[in-house]
Coordinates of all heavy atoms in Angstrom, one line a residue:
A1 N 0.9 -1.2 0.0 CA 0.0 0.0 0.0 C 0.9 1.2 0.0 O 1.9 1.3 0.7 CB -0.9 0.0 1.2
A2 N 0.6 2.2 -0.8 CA 1.2 3.4 -0.9 C 1.0 4.2 0.4 O -0.1 4.2 1.0 CB 0.7 4.3 -2.1
P3 N 2.1 5.0 0.9 CA 1.9 5.8 2.1 C 0.9 7.0 1.8 O 0.8 7.4 0.6 CB 3.3 6.4 2.3 CG 4.0 6.3 1.0 CD 3.4 5.1 0.3
S4 N 0.2 7.3 2.8 CA -0.9 8.4 2.6 C -0.1 9.7 2.5 O 0.9 9.9 3.0 CB -1.8 8.4 3.9 OG -1.0 8.8 5.0
A5 N -0.7 10.5 1.7 CA -0.2 11.9 1.4 C -0.3 12.8 2.6 O -1.3 12.6 3.3 CB -0.8 12.5 0.2
F6 N 0.6 13.7 2.8 CA 0.5 14.7 3.9 C -0.8 15.5 3.7 O -1.0 16.1 2.7 CB 1.6 15.6 4.0 CG 1.5 16.6 5.0 CD1 1.5 16.4 6.3 CD2 1.3 18.0 4.5 CE1 1.4 17.5 7.2 CE2 1.1 19.0 5.4 CZ 1.2 18.8 6.7
R7 N -1.7 15.5 4.6 CA -2.9 16.3 4.5 C -3.0 17.3 5.8 O -3.3 16.8 6.8 CB -4.1 15.5 4.5 CG -4.1 14.6 3.3 CD -5.4 13.9 3.0 NE -6.4 14.8 2.7 CZ -7.7 14.6 2.7 NH1 -8.1 13.4 2.8 NH2 -8.5 15.5 2.3
P8 N -2.7 18.5 5.6 CA -2.8 19.4 6.7 C -4.2 19.5 7.3 O -5.2 19.4 6.6 CB -2.3 20.8 6.1 CG -2.5 20.7 4.7 CD -2.4 19.2 4.3
K9 N -4.3 19.7 8.5 CA -5.6 19.7 9.3 C -6.1 21.1 9.0 O -5.5 22.1 9.0 CB -5.3 19.5 10.8 CG -6.6 19.4 11.5 CD -6.2 19.0 12.9 CE -7.5 18.4 13.6 NZ -7.2 17.9 14.9
L10 N -7.4 21.2 8.7 CA -8.1 22.4 8.5 C -8.2 23.2 9.8 O -8.5 22.6 10.8 CB -9.6 22.2 7.9 CG -10.3 23.4 7.7 CD1 -9.8 24.2 6.4 CD2 -11.8 23.1 7.4
V11 N -7.9 24.5 9.7 CA -8.0 25.3 10.9 C -9.0 26.5 10.7 O -8.9 27.2 9.7 CB -6.6 26.0 11.1 CG1 -6.6 27.0 12.3 CG2 -5.5 24.9 11.4
L12 N -9.8 26.6 11.7 CA -10.8 27.7 11.6 C -10.2 28.8 12.4 O -9.9 28.6 13.6 CB -12.1 27.2 12.3 CG -13.2 28.4 12.5 CD1 -13.6 29.0 11.1 CD2 -14.4 27.8 13.2
A13 N -9.9 29.9 11.8 CA -9.2 31.1 12.4 C -10.2 32.0 13.0 O -10.0 33.3 12.8 CB -8.2 31.7 11.5
S14 N -11.2 31.5 13.7 CA -12.2 32.4 14.1 C -12.7 31.9 15.5 O -12.7 30.8 15.7 CB -13.5 32.4 13.2 OG -14.6 33.1 13.7
A15 N -13.0 32.9 16.4 CA -13.6 32.5 17.7 C -15.1 32.4 17.6 O -15.8 32.2 18.7 CB -13.2 33.6 18.7
S16 N -15.7 32.6 16.5 CA -17.2 32.6 16.4 C -17.8 31.2 16.6 O -17.5 30.3 15.9 CB -17.6 33.1 15.0 OG -19.0 32.8 14.7
P17 N -18.7 31.1 17.6 CA -19.3 29.8 17.9 C -20.2 29.4 16.7 O -20.3 28.3 16.4 CB -20.2 30.1 19.1 CG -19.6 31.3 19.8 CD -18.9 32.1 18.7
R18 N -20.8 30.4 16.0 CA -21.7 30.0 14.9 C -20.9 29.5 13.8 O -21.2 28.5 13.1 CB -22.5 31.2 14.4 CG -23.4 31.0 13.3 CD -24.5 30.1 13.7 NE -25.4 29.9 12.5 CZ -26.1 28.8 12.2 NH1 -26.0 27.8 13.0 NH2 -26.8 28.7 11.2
R19 N -19.7 30.1 13.5 CA -18.8 29.6 12.4 C -18.4 28.1 12.7 O -18.3 27.3 11.9 CB -17.7 30.5 12.1 CG -18.1 31.8 11.4 CD -17.0 32.7 11.2 NE -17.4 33.9 10.6 CZ -16.8 35.1 10.8 NH1 -15.7 35.2 11.4 NH2 -17.3 36.1 10.1
R20 N -18.1 27.9 14.0 CA -17.6 26.6 14.4 C -18.7 25.6 14.2 O -18.5 24.5 13.7 CB -17.2 26.6 15.9 CG -16.6 25.2 16.4 CD -16.4 25.4 17.8 NE -15.4 26.3 18.2 CZ -14.8 26.4 19.3 NH1 -14.9 25.6 20.2 NH2 -13.8 27.4 19.4
E21 N -19.9 26.0 14.7 CA -21.1 25.1 14.5 C -21.4 24.8 13.0 O -21.6 23.6 12.6 CB -22.3 25.8 15.0 CG -23.7 25.1 14.9 CD -24.8 25.8 15.4 OE1 -24.7 27.0 15.9 OE2 -26.0 25.3 15.3
L22 N -21.3 25.8 12.1 CA -21.6 25.6 10.7 C -20.6 24.7 10.0 O -20.8 23.7 9.3 CB -21.6 26.9 9.9 CG -22.8 27.7 10.3 CD1 -22.6 29.2 9.7 CD2 -24.1 27.2 9.7
L23 N -19.3 24.9 10.3 CA -18.2 24.1 9.9 C -18.3 22.6 10.4 O -18.1 21.8 9.6 CB -16.8 24.7 10.1 CG -15.7 24.0 9.4 CD1 -15.8 24.0 7.9 CD2 -14.4 24.8 9.8
A24 N -18.6 22.5 11.6 CA -18.7 21.2 12.1 C -19.8 20.3 11.5 O -19.7 19.1 11.5 CB -18.9 21.2 13.7
A25 N -20.8 21.0 11.1 CA -21.9 20.3 10.4 C -21.5 19.7 9.1 O -22.1 18.6 8.6 CB -23.1 21.3 10.2
I26 N -20.5 20.2 8.5 CA -20.1 19.6 7.1 C -18.6 19.1 7.1 O -18.4 18.3 6.2 CB -20.1 20.7 6.1 CG1 -19.2 21.9 6.3 CG2 -21.6 21.3 5.8 CD1 -19.0 22.8 5.2
L27 N -17.9 19.3 8.1 CA -16.4 18.8 8.1 C -16.0 18.6 9.5 O -15.4 19.6 10.2 CB -15.6 19.8 7.4 CG -14.1 19.4 7.2 CD1 -14.0 18.2 6.2 CD2 -13.3 20.5 6.7
P28 N -16.2 17.5 10.1 CA -15.7 17.2 11.5 C -14.2 17.1 11.5 O -13.6 16.9 10.5 CB -16.4 15.9 11.9 CG -16.6 15.2 10.6 CD -16.9 16.3 9.6
G29 N -13.6 17.3 12.6 CA -12.2 17.0 12.7 C -11.3 18.3 12.4 O -10.2 18.1 12.0
F30 N -11.7 19.4 12.6 CA -10.9 20.6 12.2 C -10.4 21.2 13.6 O -10.8 20.8 14.7 CB -11.7 21.7 11.5 CG -12.9 22.2 12.2 CD1 -12.9 23.3 13.0 CD2 -14.2 21.6 12.0 CE1 -14.0 23.8 13.7 CE2 -15.2 22.0 12.6 CZ -15.2 23.1 13.4
E31 N -9.4 22.0 13.5 CA -8.9 22.7 14.7 C -9.3 24.2 14.7 O -9.5 24.8 13.7 CB -7.4 22.6 14.6 CG -6.5 23.0 15.7 CD -5.1 22.9 15.5 OE1 -4.7 22.3 14.6 OE2 -4.3 23.3 16.5
V32 N -9.5 24.7 15.9 CA -9.9 26.1 16.1 C -8.8 26.8 16.7 O -8.3 26.5 17.8 CB -11.1 26.3 17.0 CG1 -11.5 27.7 17.1 CG2 -12.3 25.5 16.3
I33 N -8.1 27.8 15.9 CA -7.1 28.7 16.5 C -7.5 30.1 16.1 O -7.3 30.7 15.0 CB -5.8 28.4 15.9 CG1 -5.3 27.0 16.0 CG2 -4.7 29.5 16.4 CD1 -4.0 26.6 15.4
P34 N -8.3 30.8 17.1 CA -8.8 32.1 16.8 C -7.6 33.2 16.4 O -6.6 33.0 17.1 CB -9.5 32.6 18.0 CG -9.8 31.3 18.7 CD -8.7 30.4 18.4
S35 N -7.7 33.9 15.5 CA -6.7 34.9 15.1 C -7.1 36.3 15.7 O -8.2 36.5 16.1 CB -6.6 35.1 13.6 OG -7.6 35.7 13.0
D36 N -6.2 37.2 15.8 CA -6.4 38.5 16.4 C -6.6 39.5 15.2 O -6.5 40.7 15.5 CB -5.3 39.0 17.4 CG -4.0 38.9 16.7 OD1 -3.9 38.7 15.5 OD2 -3.1 39.3 17.4
V37 N -6.9 39.0 14.0 CA -7.0 39.9 12.9 C -8.4 40.6 13.0 O -9.4 39.9 13.1 CB -7.0 39.2 11.5 CG1 -7.2 40.0 10.3 CG2 -5.6 38.5 11.4
P38 N -8.5 41.9 13.0 CA -9.8 42.7 13.0 C -10.6 42.3 11.8 O -10.1 42.4 10.7 CB -9.4 44.1 13.1 CG -8.0 44.2 12.7 CD -7.3 42.9 12.9
E39 N -11.9 42.1 12.0 CA -12.7 41.9 10.8 C -13.3 43.1 10.2 O -14.4 43.5 10.6 CB -13.8 40.8 11.2 CG -13.3 39.5 11.4 CD -14.3 38.4 11.5 OE1 -15.4 38.6 10.8 OE2 -14.0 37.4 12.1
E40 N -12.6 43.8 9.3 CA -13.1 45.0 8.7 C -13.3 44.8 7.3 O -12.5 44.3 6.6 CB -11.9 46.1 8.8 CG -11.6 46.4 10.2 CD -10.5 47.4 10.4 OE1 -9.8 47.8 9.3 OE2 -10.1 47.7 11.5
A41 N -14.5 45.1 6.8 CA -15.0 44.8 5.4 C -15.0 46.2 4.7 O -15.9 46.9 4.7 CB -16.3 44.2 5.4
N42 N -13.8 46.5 4.1 CA -13.7 47.7 3.3 C -13.7 47.4 1.8 O -13.0 46.5 1.4 CB -12.4 48.5 3.6 CG -12.3 48.8 5.1 OD1 -13.4 49.3 5.6 ND2 -11.2 48.9 5.7
G43 N -14.4 48.1 1.0 CA -14.3 47.9 -0.4 C -15.3 46.8 -0.8 O -16.3 46.5 -0.2
D44 N -15.0 46.2 -2.0 CA -15.7 45.0 -2.5 C -15.8 43.9 -1.5 O -14.8 43.5 -1.0 CB -15.1 44.6 -3.8 CG -15.8 43.4 -4.4 OD1 -17.0 43.6 -4.9 OD2 -15.3 42.3 -4.4
P45 N -17.0 43.4 -1.2 CA -17.2 42.3 -0.2 C -16.4 41.1 -0.5 O -15.8 40.5 0.3 CB -18.6 42.1 -0.2 CG -19.3 43.4 -0.7 CD -18.3 43.9 -1.7
S46 N -16.3 40.7 -1.8 CA -15.6 39.5 -2.2 C -14.1 39.7 -1.9 O -13.5 38.9 -1.5 CB -15.9 39.2 -3.7 OG -17.2 38.8 -3.9
E47 N -13.6 40.8 -2.4 CA -12.2 41.1 -2.2 C -11.8 41.2 -0.7 O -10.7 40.8 -0.3 CB -11.8 42.3 -2.9 CG -11.8 42.1 -4.4 CD -11.5 43.4 -5.2 OE1 -11.0 44.4 -4.6 OE2 -11.6 43.4 -6.5
A48 N -12.7 41.8 0.1 CA -12.5 42.0 1.5 C -12.4 40.6 2.2 O -11.7 40.4 3.1 CB -13.6 42.9 2.1
A49 N -13.4 39.7 1.8 CA -13.4 38.3 2.3 C -12.1 37.6 2.1 O -11.5 36.9 2.8 CB -14.6 37.5 1.8
I50 N -11.5 37.7 0.8 CA -10.2 37.2 0.4 C -9.2 37.7 1.3 O -8.3 37.0 1.8 CB -10.0 37.3 -1.1 CG1 -11.0 36.4 -1.8 CG2 -8.6 36.9 -1.4 CD1 -11.1 36.6 -3.3
R51 N -9.1 39.1 1.4 CA -8.0 39.7 2.1 C -8.0 39.3 3.6 O -7.0 39.0 4.2 CB -8.1 41.2 2.1 CG -7.6 41.8 0.8 CD -7.5 43.4 0.9 NE -8.7 44.0 1.5 CZ -9.8 44.5 0.7 NH1 -9.7 44.3 -0.5 NH2 -10.8 45.0 1.3
L52 N -9.2 39.2 4.2 CA -9.5 38.7 5.6 C -9.0 37.3 5.7 O -8.3 36.9 6.7 CB -10.8 38.9 6.0 CG -11.2 38.5 7.4 CD1 -10.3 39.4 8.4 CD2 -12.7 38.8 7.8
A53 N -9.4 36.5 4.8 CA -8.9 35.0 4.9 C -7.4 34.9 4.8 O -6.9 34.1 5.7 CB -9.7 34.2 3.8
I54 N -6.9 35.6 3.9 CA -5.3 35.5 3.8 C -4.7 36.1 5.0 O -3.8 35.4 5.6 CB -4.9 36.2 2.6 CG1 -5.3 35.5 1.3 CG2 -3.4 36.5 2.6 CD1 -5.1 36.2 0.0
A55 N -5.2 37.2 5.6 CA -4.6 37.7 6.8 C -4.8 36.8 8.0 O -3.7 36.5 8.8 CB -5.2 39.0 7.2
K56 N -5.9 36.1 8.2 CA -6.1 35.2 9.2 C -5.2 33.9 9.0 O -4.7 33.4 10.0 CB -7.6 34.8 9.3 CG -8.5 35.8 9.9 CD -9.9 35.3 10.2 CE -10.7 36.4 11.0 NZ -11.8 35.7 11.6
A57 N -5.1 33.5 7.8 CA -4.3 32.3 7.5 C -2.8 32.6 8.0 O -2.1 31.8 8.5 CB -4.4 31.9 6.1
R58 N -2.3 33.7 7.6 CA -1.0 34.2 7.9 C -0.8 34.2 9.5 O 0.2 33.8 10.0 CB -0.6 35.5 7.3 CG -0.3 35.4 5.8 CD 0.2 36.6 5.2 NE 0.6 36.4 3.8 CZ 0.4 37.3 2.8 NH1 -0.2 38.4 3.0 NH2 0.8 36.9 1.7
A59 N -1.8 34.9 10.2 CA -1.7 35.0 11.6 C -1.7 33.7 12.2 O -0.8 33.4 13.2 CB -2.8 35.8 12.1
V60 N -2.5 32.7 11.8 CA -2.5 31.4 12.4 C -1.2 30.7 12.1 O -0.6 29.9 12.9 CB -3.7 30.6 12.0 CG1 -3.7 29.1 12.2 CG2 -5.0 31.2 12.6
H61 N -0.7 30.7 10.9 CA 0.5 30.1 10.4 C 1.7 30.6 11.3 O 2.4 29.8 11.8 CB 0.8 30.3 8.9 CG 2.0 29.8 8.5 ND1 2.2 28.3 8.4 CD2 3.1 30.3 7.9 CE1 3.4 28.1 7.8 NE2 3.9 29.2 7.6
E62 N 1.7 31.9 11.5 CA 2.8 32.5 12.4 C 2.7 32.0 13.9 O 3.6 31.6 14.5 CB 2.8 34.0 12.3 CG 3.8 34.7 13.2 CD 5.2 34.4 12.7 OE1 5.4 33.8 11.7 OE2 6.2 34.6 13.6
F63 N 1.4 31.8 14.3 CA 1.2 31.3 15.7 C 1.7 29.9 15.8 O 2.5 29.6 16.7 CB -0.2 31.4 16.0 CG -0.6 30.7 17.2 CD1 -0.4 31.3 18.5 CD2 -1.1 29.5 17.3 CE1 -0.7 30.6 19.7 CE2 -1.4 28.8 18.4 CZ -1.2 29.4 19.7
R64 N 1.4 29.1 14.8 CA 1.9 27.7 14.8 C 3.4 27.7 14.7 O 4.0 26.8 15.4 CB 1.2 26.9 13.7 CG -0.2 26.8 13.9 CD -0.8 25.9 12.9 NE -1.4 24.7 13.6 CZ -1.7 23.7 12.9 NH1 -1.6 23.6 11.6 NH2 -2.2 22.6 13.5
R65 N 3.9 28.5 13.9 CA 5.4 28.5 13.8 C 6.1 28.9 15.1 O 7.0 28.2 15.6 CB 5.9 29.5 12.7 CG 7.3 29.4 12.4 CD 7.8 30.5 11.4 NE 7.8 31.8 12.1 CZ 8.6 32.2 13.1 NH1 9.5 31.4 13.5 NH2 8.5 33.4 13.6
V66 N 5.5 29.9 15.8 CA 6.2 30.4 17.0 C 6.1 29.3 18.1 O 7.0 29.1 18.8 CB 5.5 31.7 17.4 CG1 5.9 32.1 18.9 CG2 5.9 32.8 16.5
V67 N 4.9 28.6 18.2 CA 4.7 27.6 19.3 C 5.4 26.3 18.8 O 5.2 25.2 19.6 CB 3.4 27.5 19.8 CG1 2.9 28.8 20.4 CG2 2.4 27.1 18.7
R68 N 5.9 26.2 17.6 CA 6.5 25.0 17.1 C 5.6 23.7 17.0 O 6.0 22.7 17.2 CB 7.8 24.7 17.9 CG 8.8 25.8 17.8 CD 10.2 25.2 18.2 NE 11.1 26.3 18.4 CZ 11.6 27.1 17.5 NH1 11.2 27.0 16.2 NH2 12.5 28.0 17.7
E69 N 4.3 24.1 16.7 CA 3.5 23.0 16.4 C 3.7 22.5 14.9 O 4.5 23.0 14.2 CB 1.9 23.4 16.5 CG 1.7 23.7 18.0 CD 0.2 23.9 18.2 OE1 -0.6 23.9 17.2 OE2 -0.2 24.3 19.3
Q70 N 2.8 21.7 14.5 CA 2.9 21.1 13.1 C 2.9 22.3 12.2 O 1.9 23.0 12.2 CB 1.8 20.1 12.9 CG 1.8 19.6 11.4 CD 0.6 18.7 11.2 OE1 -0.2 18.6 12.1 NE2 0.5 18.1 10.0
R71 N 3.8 22.4 11.3 CA 3.9 23.5 10.3 C 3.1 23.1 9.1 O 2.8 22.0 8.8 CB 5.3 23.7 9.8 CG 6.0 24.9 10.5 CD 7.3 25.2 9.8 NE 7.0 26.1 8.8 CZ 7.7 27.3 8.7 NH1 8.6 27.5 9.5 NH2 7.4 28.1 7.8
L72 N 2.6 24.2 8.5 CA 1.8 24.0 7.2 C 2.7 24.4 6.1 O 2.7 25.6 5.7 CB 0.5 24.8 7.2 CG -0.5 24.5 8.3 CD1 -1.7 25.5 8.4 CD2 -1.0 23.1 8.2
P73 N 3.7 23.6 5.6 CA 4.7 24.1 4.8 C 4.2 24.6 3.4 O 4.9 25.4 2.8 CB 5.5 22.7 4.5 CG 4.6 21.6 4.9 CD 3.7 22.2 5.9
S74 N 3.1 24.2 3.0 CA 2.6 24.6 1.7 C 1.7 25.9 1.7 O 1.4 26.4 0.7 CB 1.7 23.6 1.0 OG 0.7 23.2 1.8
L75 N 1.5 26.4 3.0 CA 0.7 27.6 3.1 C 1.4 28.8 2.4 O 0.6 29.6 1.7 CB 0.5 27.9 4.6 CG -0.4 29.2 4.9 CD1 -1.7 29.1 4.3 CD2 -0.4 29.5 6.3
D76 N 2.6 29.1 2.5 CA 3.2 30.3 1.9 C 3.1 30.2 0.5 O 2.8 31.1 -0.2 CB 4.7 30.4 2.4 CG 4.8 30.7 3.9 OD1 3.8 31.5 4.3 OD2 5.8 30.4 4.5
R77 N 3.4 29.0 -0.1 CA 3.3 28.8 -1.6 C 1.8 29.0 -2.0 O 1.6 29.6 -3.0 CB 3.8 27.4 -1.9 CG 3.7 27.0 -3.4 CD 4.4 25.7 -3.7 NE 4.5 24.9 -2.5 CZ 3.8 23.7 -2.4 NH1 3.3 23.2 -3.3 NH2 4.0 23.1 -1.3
W78 N 0.9 28.4 -1.3 CA -0.5 28.5 -1.6 C -1.0 30.0 -1.6 O -1.6 30.5 -2.6 CB -1.4 27.7 -0.7 CG -2.8 27.7 -0.9 CD1 -3.5 26.8 -1.8 CD2 -3.8 28.6 -0.4 NE1 -4.7 27.1 -1.8 CE2 -5.0 28.2 -0.9 CE3 -3.8 29.7 0.4 CZ2 -6.3 28.9 -0.7 CZ3 -5.0 30.4 0.7 CH2 -6.2 30.0 0.2
L79 N -0.5 30.7 -0.6 CA -0.9 32.2 -0.5 C -0.2 33.0 -1.7 O -0.8 33.8 -2.2 CB -0.5 32.8 0.8 CG -1.2 32.3 2.0 CD1 -0.6 32.8 3.3 CD2 -2.7 32.8 2.0
A80 N 1.1 32.6 -2.0 CA 1.8 33.4 -3.1 C 1.1 33.2 -4.4 O 1.1 34.1 -5.2 CB 3.2 32.9 -3.1
E81 N 0.5 32.0 -4.7 CA -0.1 31.8 -5.9 C -1.3 32.5 -6.1 O -1.8 32.7 -7.2 CB -0.4 30.2 -6.1 CG 0.8 29.3 -6.2 CD 0.4 27.9 -6.0 OE1 -0.7 27.5 -5.8 OE2 1.4 27.1 -6.2
R82 N -2.0 33.0 -5.0 CA -3.2 33.7 -5.1 C -3.1 35.2 -5.0 O -4.1 35.9 -4.9 CB -4.2 33.3 -3.9 CG -4.8 31.9 -4.3 CD -5.0 30.9 -3.2 NE -5.5 29.7 -3.7 CZ -4.7 28.7 -4.2 NH1 -3.5 28.9 -4.3 NH2 -5.3 27.7 -4.6
Q83 N -1.9 35.6 -5.0 CA -1.7 37.1 -4.9 C -1.2 37.7 -6.3 O -0.6 37.1 -7.0 CB -0.7 37.5 -3.9 CG -1.3 37.2 -2.4 CD -0.5 37.7 -1.3 OE1 0.6 38.1 -1.5 NE2 -1.0 37.8 -0.2

């Protein structure tokens, strides 16, 4: 049997109980690491949502790096491809 591919665990970067509830209904087994990124929606709502998601992903990635938990090595590459 082939070894399983590395699959990073999904992280919800929000402290919102409602977001946690909604995500849990469709995808069990995620991790919650609230970020300290302020949720400001300036400009186009779609672009604001993308900017906020990227900012939260970076904040959570940095938090994990600092505490030396499991790194998400492809996060920087994934973010770079979307900018």
Side-chain angles (χ1 to χ4, degrees):
S4 63
F6 172 73
R7 297 189 69 189
K9 189 172 199 173
L10 181 68
V11 175
L12 175 62
S14 172
S16 166
R18 181 66 178 147
R19 289 181 183 153
R20 181 184 302 196
E21 177 185 358
L22 290 170
L23 187 57
I26 61 170
L27 185 68
F30 60 92
E31 185 175 359
V32 178
I33 303 176
S35 73
D36 59 357
V37 174
E39 295 197 19
E40 298 173 2
N42 299 322
D44 177 70
S46 295
E47 291 177 8
I50 292 169
R51 281 193 310 272
L52 180 59
I54 290 171
K56 285 186 169 201
R58 284 186 173 142
V60 168
H61 181 65
E62 180 63 16
F63 170 79
R64 292 183 118 195
R65 187 190 67 74
V66 169
V67 297
R68 301 198 190 291
E69 289 188 4
Q70 178 184 6
R71 263 189 89 127
L72 301 176
S74 60
L75 178 62
D76 291 330
R77 182 174 16 121
W78 183 86
L79 290 172
E81 291 171 357
R82 281 148 184 80
Q83 291 185 348

